Amino acid sequence: MPHTLRALRADDRPRIADVCLRTADLGGDATGLLSDDALWADVFALPYTVRHPEFAFVIADADDAVVGYCVAAPDTDAFEEWFRTDWWPVRRREPDAPGLSHREAELRRYADGRRAGAEPFADTYPAHLHIDLLPAAQGAGWGRRLIDAQRAALADAGVPGLHLVAAADNAVALGFYDRLGFTRLPSQPGTQAFGVVLG
């Protein structure tokens, strides 16, 4: 099935949210793992498409439906402050609501804690990204093309460096970033951070 890489359109957002949900469990479908499936995209995908649509790229299938995406913030500290003051207060859910799983409570606490200065890599690598692809878009180089498009857009905007964080037990993702030339950075337990100089 033919695929194409293109820039974000406003009507792509519901499909991006769906891809985010269907890849949120270490690349697998996270449907039903939280009390609110929308939480995944509200934290990791949609705010980027609203704040920085110019750094949002998608892979579309033959029907022009989104099957993968890469979103980024060129200035992590500015983005995290906007997330804290503008985005999250409208969508916030209580992290200690009765009946929440440990995983959901932790995700909500993570979102509550986002703020300028919270990311240790933002000085050297001021941009950060999130990328997800459905199985239909995997294994044919589309992930690399998305990252390449994102790196070029950020470099053209004068951003000197880019970082991302993956789950430490997601071996496929870790190998992918290694192959793309990202450098492994000191990381919190359970995570592996990567950085790359742009330009």
Side-chain angles (χ1 to χ4, degrees), residues 86-156:
D86 292 68
W87 177 265
W88 191 238
V90 178
R91 292 156 184 85
R92 186 179 186 275
R93 291 83 153 176
E94 290 296 330
D96 297 317
L100 292 184
S101 67
H102 174 74
R103 186 173 189 179
E104 182 165 356
E106 285 297 307
L107 180 57
R108 294 182 188 202
R109 276 192 281 273
Y110 163 75
D112 283 347
R114 293 179 73 168
R115 66 192 186 283
E119 290 293 333
F121 314 110
D123 288 341
T124 305
Y125 307 100
H128 73 274
L129 65 75
H130 293 281
I131 179 173
D132 288 300
L133 295 93
L134 294 178
Q138 295 174 9
W142 290 109
R144 176 182 288 273
R145 291 182 184 98
L146 277 172
I147 295 286
D148 286 347
Q150 191 65 260
R151 287 169 66 166
L154 290 166
D156 287 348

Side-chain angles (χ1 to χ4, degrees), residues 36-100:
D36 182 357
D37 283 341
L39 185 61
W40 297 108
D42 279 349
V43 174
F44 296 117
L46 294 181
Y48 298 86
T49 71
V50 172
R51 178 73 169 171
H52 291 294
E54 72 276 23
F55 298 113
F57 300 93
V58 304
I59 301 299
D61 66 15
D63 298 319
D64 204 32
V66 174
V67 293
Y69 66 86
C70 183
V71 293
D75 181 332
T76 292
D77 282 341
F79 178 85
E80 296 298 309
E81 192 62 16
W82 170 83
F83 184 97
R84 182 185 72 82
T85 60
D86 292 68
W87 177 265
W88 191 238
V90 178
R91 292 156 184 85
R92 186 179 186 275
R93 291 83 153 176
E94 290 296 330
D96 297 317
L100 292 184

Side-chain angles (χ1 to χ4, degrees), residues 13-23 29 31 41 66 134:
R13 290 189 174 100
R15 185 64 179 168
I16 286 174
D18 180 64
V19 172
C20 182
L21 172 63
R22 291 168 60 195
T23 57
D29 193 346
T31 301
V66 174
L134 294 178

